[in-house]
């Protein structure tokens, strides 16, 4: 089994920054993909960004140039640095890891509001 725990959400003003962290533990393949999805209020869950163990990244068009995903393979930890935040970034952010299966965290709320 794999456990996924996120941290770092909160309330921030438009134009501000937040950093999300996510740690995975348990039976994890040395080759895996970690990433973030988000679910805005009343909308479907959508991909934000993901990163492989080799460092290959993928971003949603809506966050390119503002968000940066990175990871520490030794710690099975992924980070999402979010800059120039907009009200439309408000959502519950979910971390996941794809190893032998897909495992999800419980989600962390990000609210961008003045």
């Amino acid at each position: 089994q794999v456990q996924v725990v996120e941290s770092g959400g909160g309330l921030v003003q438009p134009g501000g920054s937040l950093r999300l962290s996510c740690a995975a533990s348990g039976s994890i393949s040395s080759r895996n993909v970690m990433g973030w999805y988000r679910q805005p209020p009343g909308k479907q869950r959508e991909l934000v960004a993901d990163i492989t163990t080799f460092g290959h990244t993928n971003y949603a068009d809506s966050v390119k140039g503002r968000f940066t995903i990175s990871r520490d393979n030794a710690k099975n930890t992924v980070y999402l640095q979010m800059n120039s935040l907009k009200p439309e970034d408000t959502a519950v952010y979910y971390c996941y890891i794809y190893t032998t299966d897909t495992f999800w965290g419980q989600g962390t709320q990000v609210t961008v509001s003045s």
Side-chain angles (χ1 to χ4, degrees), residues 45-83:
R45 195 175 294 194
E46 60 186 16
L47 175 68
V48 178
D50 57 33
I51 184 169
T52 71
T53 45
F54 298 105
H56 298 139
T57 59
N58 178 44
Y59 292 93
D61 288 342
S62 60
V63 306
K64 284 181 180 177
R66 300 188 298 122
F67 292 11
T68 302
I69 190 169
S70 60
R71 66 182 292 165
D72 183 334
N73 289 336
K75 297 180 180 179
N76 287 317
T77 299
V78 64
Y79 308 96
L80 186 68
Q81 178 66 43
M82 304 186 292
N83 299 329

